[in-house]
Structure formats: C-alpha cells, structure tokens
C-alpha cells in the first residue's frame, strides 16, 4: 500500500507463496522500490514467521486474517495518510475485504492481480510446492466445502462458490458470501468500497489455476449450471448494485486489465507499464 506522502504500499501473496520469498513477493517489493523513489512498501506477513505465513494461506480463517491485517495497518504510522494495495491471487479478494471493513487508514487504489472476486469452482492446478496439500484440499472441497469444519479451517473453501448449490453457498460461506453481499446488503461495505479511487482487476488470459477465469474480472458461472459464464455487468450483484460496483464503473473507478500468460505470469515491462502508474 502507499501513503501520500511518503508513498507506501502493501502486498498480500498467493496461496503457497509467502510475504518474503525472494523469488516472488520479495522480488516485486524490490522492483517497486527501485522504480519509485522514496516509496514505503510493506509486504504483509500473516503469522510470526515465513513458514506460518505460507501455512496460513491455506489453513487460517480468512476473516481472522483480514482482522489481523486491519490491525497491522492501523498500527503503522507510515500508512496513516493512506495507501495503495496490491493483492496477488487470493490476496486480491482478501484486500477487497480490508477495503470494505476497515476504511482507516484509507485505501486509495486496490490492484487485484488474478484475484477471485466471485470465488472459484475448481482447483485445476493448485499453486505452491506442496502437492500433498493440494490433494488434501481437493478432497476436502469435494467432500463438503460448506461444512463448518472445512469452512473454518480451509482458506480455499471460504471462497468456494458452487453454482449448483447456490443456497448452500449463500447460507454457509463464511467469507465470500459476506463480502459479496449474498445474504444481505451491508451499506457500510458498499460505502467503504466506493471510497476507492481505482479498483484495478487483472485477468490472465491463459490461466490454468483459476476456474473460471472470469472471476478475475468479477464474472462467474451462471447459477444452476457449471458451463456458461456471465460478466460482472450481467450479474445480479451489478444490476442491483448491491456492492456499489455499477456506481463505481459509472464514475470511472473500475479498471479491467488483461495480459497473456498463465496465473501470475507477467513481464517486468508489462507490470511497469500497466500497474506502476496506480502506485504513484
């Protein structure tokens, strides 16, 4: 996230990654610091160590993670004037929850890189280095994504969106159904999200990790089947403007970007040209 002044930024990583991996989040932090003089970059750690941070990306209650982040931000004096936020993969929807629930310090721009804002209905190629963890997640989701045990202890279940069991999803989803106003309209969420100056969503055109890929632009599968998709603009969420996204688009606050490549695969040149302008 970025503060004005000085500039500052906060990043949240993808599952299987960590805040400080020198080959991923660490390199992004270093690149941004090299491109924007004097910027303050904070890569959020969820837990007390890199190992905990990685594990929590799979197993920690998302609502607790969001609360932890809100506390970290509120206690950082360098962010009191505001910041820009950049979330990678599931970090995109987690930081959106921060924007909706914790307006102080103020988030200026939210950049979601491959985020799953309408959730996922599939885990075709689980990221990360631990294949046994991915196999365990698949089994848990297939056996009962909306059971209390799975919802509370498996991060990916908390944004699992089953279009064939819409009532179950709306009733039992602990995280996604809440931040997407599925059960009721929380006017505070709606008001806070509209405080953003820009909400940037990046979609990867050859994504083999996120299913359906439309979720990266807030689209999803049509309810009641699992083949046809609909755009954000075709959804009930948008038509009833339950989250303020229609008003945001009318005000020019929504930015839809796409890039060739698989999940989170982009060049430094593309990042610099398309995303750095939102961090100044």
């Amino acid at each position: 996230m970025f503060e004005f002044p000085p500039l500052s930024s906060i990043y949240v990583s993808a599952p299987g990654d960590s805040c400080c991996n020198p080959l991923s989040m660490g390199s992004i932090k270093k690149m941004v610091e090299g491109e924007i003089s004097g910027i303050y970059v904070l890569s959020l750690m969820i837990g007390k160590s890199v190992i905990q941070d990685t594990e929590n990306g799979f197993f920690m209650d998302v609502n607790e993670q969001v609360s932890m982040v809100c506390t970290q931000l509120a206690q950082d004096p360098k962010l009191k004037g505001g910041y820009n936020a950049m979330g990678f993969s599931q970090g995109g929807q987690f930081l959106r929850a921060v924007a909706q629930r914790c307006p102080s310090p103020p988030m200026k721009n939210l950049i979601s890189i491959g985020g799953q804002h309408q959730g996922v209905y599939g885990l075709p190629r689980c990221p990360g280095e631990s294949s046994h963890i991915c196999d365990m997640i698949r089994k848990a989701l297939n056996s009962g994504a909306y059971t209390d045990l799975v919802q509370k202890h498996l991060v990916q279940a908390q944004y699992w969106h089953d279009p064939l069991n819409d009532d179950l999803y709306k009733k039992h989803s602990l995280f996604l159904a809440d931040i997407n106003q599925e059960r009721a309209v929380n006017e505070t969420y709606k008001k806070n999200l509209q405080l953003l100056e820009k909400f940037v969503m990046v979609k990867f055109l050859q994504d083999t990790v996120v299913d359906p890929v439309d979720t990266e632009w807030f689209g999803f599968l049509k309810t009641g089947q699992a083949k046809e998709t609909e755009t954000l603009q075709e959804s009930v969420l948008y038509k009833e403007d339950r989250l303020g996204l229609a008003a945001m688009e009318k005000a020019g606050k929504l930015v839809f970007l796409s890039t060739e490549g698989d999940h989170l695969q982009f060049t430094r040149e593309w990042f610099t040209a398309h995303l750095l302008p939102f961090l100044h």
Side-chain angles (χ1 to χ4, degrees):
M1 306 178 192
F2 298 82
E3 178 190 4
F4 307 93
L7 293 177
S8 50
S9 71
I10 290 184
Y11 299 151
V12 174
S13 60
D17 199 356
S18 73
C19 65
C20 316
N21 186 333
L23 298 179
S24 53
M25 296 302 295
S27 65
I28 293 289
K29 180 178 185 292
K30 185 176 180 180
M31 178 179 69
V32 171
E33 290 171 336
E35 293 284 347
I36 304 177
S37 179
I39 194 169
Y40 169 65
V41 180
L42 174 64
S43 191
L44 289 165
M45 180 184 290
I46 309 299
K48 297 180 179 179
S49 68
V50 170
I51 293 175
Q52 278 191 6
D53 185 54
T54 303
E55 292 176 345
N56 287 338
F58 287 112
F59 303 119
M60 185 179 183
D61 186 311
V62 178
N63 292 309
E64 291 183 21
Q65 293 191 49
V66 171
S67 293
M68 285 179 62
V69 168
C70 289
T71 299
Q72 288 186 50
L73 304 186
Q75 293 177 348
D76 192 330
K78 294 182 179 179
L79 300 177
K80 62 182 180 181
Y83 60 89
N84 295 315
M86 182 177 291
F88 292 80
S89 194
Q90 65 184 23
Q93 61 263 34
F94 296 173
L95 282 174
R96 175 165 63 85
V98 171
Q100 291 174 206
R101 294 175 179 175
C102 307
S104 182
M107 186 184 294
K108 305 289 187 178
N109 294 322
L110 171 57
I111 304 171
S112 168
I113 302 176
Q116 302 99 44
H117 292 281
Q118 276 285 13
V120 296
Y121 185 57
L123 203 68
R125 191 168 66 79
C126 178
E129 301 174 358
S130 302
S131 60
H132 67 284
I133 292 179
C134 294
D135 290 340
M136 183 184 69
I137 290 171
R138 286 190 184 93
K139 290 178 182 177
L141 291 173
N142 288 334
S143 64
Y146 299 120
T147 62
D148 288 344
L149 181 65
V150 174
Q151 277 290 305
K152 290 177 181 177
H153 298 288
L154 185 60
V155 166
Q156 287 68 36
Q158 292 170 58
Y159 56 86
W160 185 258
H161 188 169
D162 186 345
L164 303 178
N165 291 284
D166 195 52
D167 290 341
L168 273 179
Y169 156 68
K170 289 179 178 178
K171 184 176 181 180
H172 295 290
S173 171
L174 293 181
F175 174 71
L176 189 70
D178 176 65
I179 66 164
N180 281 4
Q181 311 274 50
E182 298 281 17
R183 291 185 280 265
V185 174
N186 182 325
E187 293 295 340
T188 299
Y189 283 3
K190 186 174 179 179
K191 179 187 71 174
N192 288 343
L193 190 64
Q194 291 181 83
L195 294 175
L196 289 173
E197 294 174 8
K198 296 290 183 183
F199 178 11
V200 183
M201 288 171 269
V202 177
K203 178 168 72 172
F204 293 90
L205 298 177
Q206 284 80 44
D207 203 317
T208 63
V209 174
V210 174
D211 186 15
V213 69
D214 309 72
T215 188
E216 296 177 354
W217 275 4
F218 234 122
F220 201 63
L221 295 160
K222 293 181 179 178
T223 302
Q225 50 83 60
K227 291 185 179 180
E228 289 187 57
T229 60
E230 64 184 9
T231 65
L232 165 64
Q233 291 77 8
E234 293 169 333
S235 69
V236 172
L237 177 71
Y238 186 92
K239 290 178 178 178
E240 295 182 358
D241 209 14
R242 297 173 68 86
L243 197 51
L245 293 168
M248 291 179 73
E249 183 165 44
K250 186 175 181 180
K253 292 187 173 187
L254 299 187
V255 179
F256 299 93
L257 300 178
S258 63
T259 182
E260 301 292 333
D262 204 345
H263 194 57
L264 304 185
Q265 301 300 305
F266 51 84
T267 65
R268 178 173 182 148
E269 290 74 22
W270 184 89
F271 183 94
T272 300
H274 294 90
L275 300 184
L276 274 189
F278 296 103
L279 304 182
H280 284 278

